[in-house]
Amino acid sequence: MKKTIAIILAFLLIFAHAAPADETGNPALGDWYADLNGIPVSLSLNPDGTYVLSALGEVSGGVWEPSDGFVVLDGDGESPLNVVSDTFMVHREMGLFFTREPVRVYSPAIVVPASGADWFAGYWKSLYVETAGTTVLAEAIGDDTDLYIEGEAVALGGGRFGDIWWNFTFENGTLSTQLDGGETLTVSLQMDGMLRLEITSGGKSETLFFAAALTHQDIIGRA
């Protein structure tokens, strides 16, 4: 994840010096939003010639200036942003399309208040990850976690867990366990049909959201 953030900032942040922006009637002023392969990116161009760039909870800034219909960040004239209109701006090198509307992100549904253990059965693949207060596509940060659930036995797959079988305990509508490394895992079902996996370790937490790939009945039917 940190590598992804570094790539974002490396493209847009080349530390140099630039003159302050001309704030009079400049259509580029204000807040802009873009989607970088499922990662929301926001850019604020301030009247005092400073800017703030943020993605996945990482925030950086510098100075900007207008230049013949373009916005130049930190003096990097080789990679400017093209101000098409006061509502549309393009960074061609990165394929970023900025608009004035915040990027829509997945909003998790509430947990099913009373679910049975058999409701969890099947094969699930991660679709979204909530990290740094933002929910992004799992593939955007390289998460390939998958789960196969049969009763209280759960196969934890993908690079995060390394393909292991683990015994969980079903209680009060959730499956939960603690791994040898100290991570506490809690699995619950949401009203939108997604499965939620909360991972807590060392006072920090992360949440993954899974879509059903195959139900237990599908797997039995194909056997």
Side-chain angles (χ1 to χ4, degrees):
M1 181 178 66
K2 290 185 177 179
K3 182 178 179 181
T4 302
I5 297 169
I7 291 173
I8 297 170
L9 299 180
F11 270 104
L12 295 182
L13 307 179
I14 298 177
F15 299 101
H17 297 286
D22 178 5
E23 63 183 88
T24 306
N26 194 309
L29 285 171
D31 297 328
W32 296 89
Y33 306 92
D35 185 327
L36 180 62
N37 300 323
I39 298 176
V41 177
S42 65
L43 174 66
S44 296
L45 300 176
N46 304 315
D48 63 357
T50 62
Y51 73 86
V52 176
L53 175 72
S54 62
L56 289 180
E58 294 289 328
V59 180
S60 189
V63 292
W64 71 281
E65 63 178 336
S67 178
D68 298 324
F70 291 85
V71 165
V72 176
L73 301 181
D74 294 319
D76 180 19
E78 298 298 317
S79 185
L81 293 94
N82 184 5
V83 184
V84 180
S85 69
D86 59 357
T87 59
F88 188 56
M89 186 167 62
V90 180
H91 192 282
R92 297 186 185 280
E93 284 75 8
M94 291 194 69
L96 282 175
F97 301 93
F98 285 91
T99 70
R100 297 295 189 176
E101 295 295 324
V103 175
R104 282 187 154 188
V105 297
Y106 171 67
S107 180
I110 63 172
V111 172
V112 176
S115 58
D118 57 331
W119 296 13
F120 294 80
Y123 178 55
W124 304 80
K125 298 186 70 173
S126 66
L127 187 58
Y128 299 102
V129 177
E130 184 179 81
T131 181
T134 303
T135 304
V136 301
L137 286 171
E139 63 181 3
I141 59 172
D143 186 275
D144 62 349
T145 306
D146 56 2
L147 305 175
Y148 175 69
I149 302 175
E150 187 172 323
E152 294 185 333
V154 180
L156 303 164
R160 182 185 294 265
F161 295 109
D163 299 324
I164 58 173
W165 276 96
W166 208 261
N167 291 322
F168 280 62
T169 299
F170 181 77
E171 187 176 5
N172 298 324
T174 64
L175 286 166
S176 62
T177 193
Q178 186 172 57
L179 301 182
D180 287 341
E183 302 96 335
T184 297
L185 309 184
T186 303
V187 181
S188 53
L189 284 170
Q190 299 182 163
M191 294 294 286
D192 59 1
M194 300 280 283
L195 182 143
R196 177 188 302 188
L197 169 62
E198 297 175 75
I199 306 171
T200 304
S201 178
K204 297 181 180 180
S205 62
E206 189 173 18
T207 305
L208 280 63
F209 302 92
F210 297 77
L214 289 173
T215 67
H216 187 54
Q217 292 301 318
D218 290 332
I219 296 169
I220 293 174
R222 295 187 180 191

